[in-house]
Amino acid sequence: MNGQAQAAAQQDVPSPAEDSAPASAPGVAVRAAGEADVEAAAVLFRGYLDFYEVDIEDPDAPRAFLAERIAKDESLVLLADVPEAGMVGFAQVYRGFSSLSLRTAWVLNDLYVAPEGRRTGAGRALLREVLRRAREAGVSGVQLETAYDNTVAQGLYEAEGFVREEFHVYFHGLG
C-alpha cells in the first residue's frame, strides 16, 4: 500500500508487553498483537489484501509476513475485539523518519475492519489507539494512504483530524 522507507527505530514503538491501552470506543477492546496472535491477525490481513485485490500466490505468505514483522519488532500490530463479534480489525504501523521535521514519524500502513465489525467503532478505536501511542512515543506525526474511492475511510480519517496533503504519491514497482 505504501512505498515509504520504513526504518527501524525500535525504541519508538511499544512492545506488546507494554500494552495497557483502554478502548476508545465503548465495547471495543484494542490491544497490541504478540506472537500468539499471528494466526488470528493473518485472517484479518488476508481480508485486507482481498479488499485491495492483491493476488497472493502462496496462501501462507500473509501469515509469514506478519509473523516476521511481529517477531522482529519491526511493526506495531493492533487488534480490535468487539463483544459478540470477536476480533474484527487490525492496524499495522511502521516507523520511519521525517526529514522535514527531523524526527521520527509513523506510517499507518494498514487498517482493516472485517465486514462483521463495521459500524461498531472498531476502525475509529484502532485509529485513535495508533494516535495515542504515537503521541506517547513523541513522534512528529502519523501518515497514511488510502484508495481514492475509499470514501468511508477518508471520512473517518478526516473526522479524526487527518488532513489531506497536497503532495503527489509516486511508486515504482520493482517486480
Side-chain angles (χ1 to χ4, degrees):
M1 176 178 167
N2 188 315
Q4 294 288 329
Q6 296 151 358
Q10 301 297 335
Q11 72 278 9
D12 293 326
V13 175
S15 69
E18 298 170 22
D19 185 24
S20 61
S24 61
V28 179
V30 177
R31 64 182 175 80
E35 291 184 30
D37 298 304
V38 168
E39 295 302 324
V43 170
L44 293 164
F45 189 38
R46 281 190 291 272
Y48 169 80
L49 294 170
D50 289 345
F51 179 83
Y52 279 104
E53 300 176 353
V54 175
D55 291 325
I56 303 296
E57 289 181 28
D58 177 1
D60 190 53
R63 188 206 59 75
F65 181 84
L66 276 182
E68 186 173 3
R69 300 292 75 71
I70 291 170
K72 292 183 175 181
D73 194 27
E74 293 176 338
S75 70
L76 169 65
V77 176
L78 298 175
L79 300 171
D81 284 295
V82 173
E84 300 186 26
M87 193 176 308
V88 298
F90 91 106
Q92 183 164 216
V93 177
Y94 295 109
R95 304 157 217 64
F97 297 96
S98 169
S99 298
L100 298 178
S101 71
L102 304 177
R103 293 175 51 202
T104 302
W106 283 5
V107 177
L108 175 52
N109 207 73
D110 314 311
L111 190 143
Y112 174 75
V113 177
E116 64 272 17
R118 295 183 185 152
R119 301 212 176 271
T120 64
R124 187 175 307 275
L126 285 163
L127 190 59
R128 287 181 177 175
E129 182 61 11
V130 167
L131 294 171
R132 185 191 73 77
R133 287 172 181 255
R135 280 187 205 94
E136 203 170 81
V139 303
S140 65
V142 176
Q143 177 184 347
L144 59 81
E145 298 174 9
T146 193
Y148 287 109
D149 61 351
N150 193 348
T151 57
V152 172
Q154 292 166 24
L156 171 63
Y157 302 145
E158 291 172 11
E160 291 299 318
F162 282 81
V163 176
R164 190 180 310 248
E165 293 280 320
E166 295 298 322
F167 291 92
H168 291 282
V169 176
Y170 293 87
F171 182 77
H172 188 296
L174 299 175

